[in-house]
Amino acid sequence: MTLEQLARILSDGNHSLAVASADGSVTTYDSRGVADLYRLITCSPDKLDGAMVADKVVGKGAAALMAAGHIKALHTRVISSPALKMLEDHDIEVKFDQLTDSIINRQGTGPCPVESLCKTTDDPRECIGLIHDFLIEKGIINQ
């Protein structure tokens, strides 16, 4: 499996996330935002360890989850500069179509709230705590 093949799986299936685990299995996900990555890192971290990932949009929060999960490589359509830096700092191969200064929220009215949360730290574990609190506050996960 190559990153390009994984990106095609993501695109052809209109998924939000595709993960090719180190064991060769490929799993796709369809939740919005970072919810699926958060669930993976907290419930099935072995799926991310050494994995290749394809994601539509990667901000710093998603990058922190991927770095903490020790992925091997990422392909994304859009990535923010802070996310790219975090992934490169963790020796993760990154391929992207578009680099942007920051990720914009779904409404197009301001910055992505998860990227904004993670702006103050470069520690993926700190970002996970911030993301956890955000997902609880929004009712996306239970405590």
Side-chain angles (χ1 to χ4, degrees):
M1 171 76 50
T2 67
L3 271 177
E4 291 75 19
Q5 290 170 321
L6 192 61
R8 255 191 313 281
I9 290 169
L10 179 83
S11 180
D12 291 350
N14 198 30
H15 302 291
S16 58
L17 179 69
V19 177
S21 297
D23 68 6
S25 65
V26 175
T27 311
T28 57
Y29 302 88
D30 298 305
S31 295
R32 292 169 40 166
V34 297
D36 288 324
L37 276 171
Y38 178 81
R39 286 185 190 104
L40 281 168
I41 196 75
T42 56
C43 299
S44 303
D46 54 309
K47 279 192 175 238
L48 289 177
D49 191 16
M52 291 189 298
V53 173
D55 199 339
K56 288 182 179 181
V57 177
V58 176
K60 191 172 180 184
L65 292 166
M66 292 178 201
H70 308 287
I71 71 163
K72 177 175 120 180
L74 166 72
H75 184 282
T76 185
R77 294 178 193 156
V78 179
I79 190 167
S80 70
S81 296
L84 180 60
K85 181 179 181 336
M86 177 168 283
L87 294 168
E88 288 175 340
D89 287 351
H90 287 85
D91 298 320
I92 296 168
E93 175 189 348
V94 181
K95 293 185 179 186
F96 57 88
D97 299 328
Q98 180 184 352
L99 178 64
T100 184
D101 290 336
S102 62
I103 303 301
I104 304 300
N105 65 22
R106 282 182 198 27
Q107 297 77 25
T109 58
C112 166
V114 174
E115 184 157 69
S116 294
L117 280 174
C118 297
K119 185 166 44 173
T120 60
T121 182
D122 291 324
D123 181 345
R125 290 284 164 198
E126 282 183 46
C127 290
I128 291 172
L130 297 168
I131 292 166
H132 170 82
D133 294 345
F134 174 82
L135 294 174
I136 287 175
E137 177 187 317
K138 295 297 180 185
I140 298 169
I141 62 168
N142 297 320
Q143 216 157 64

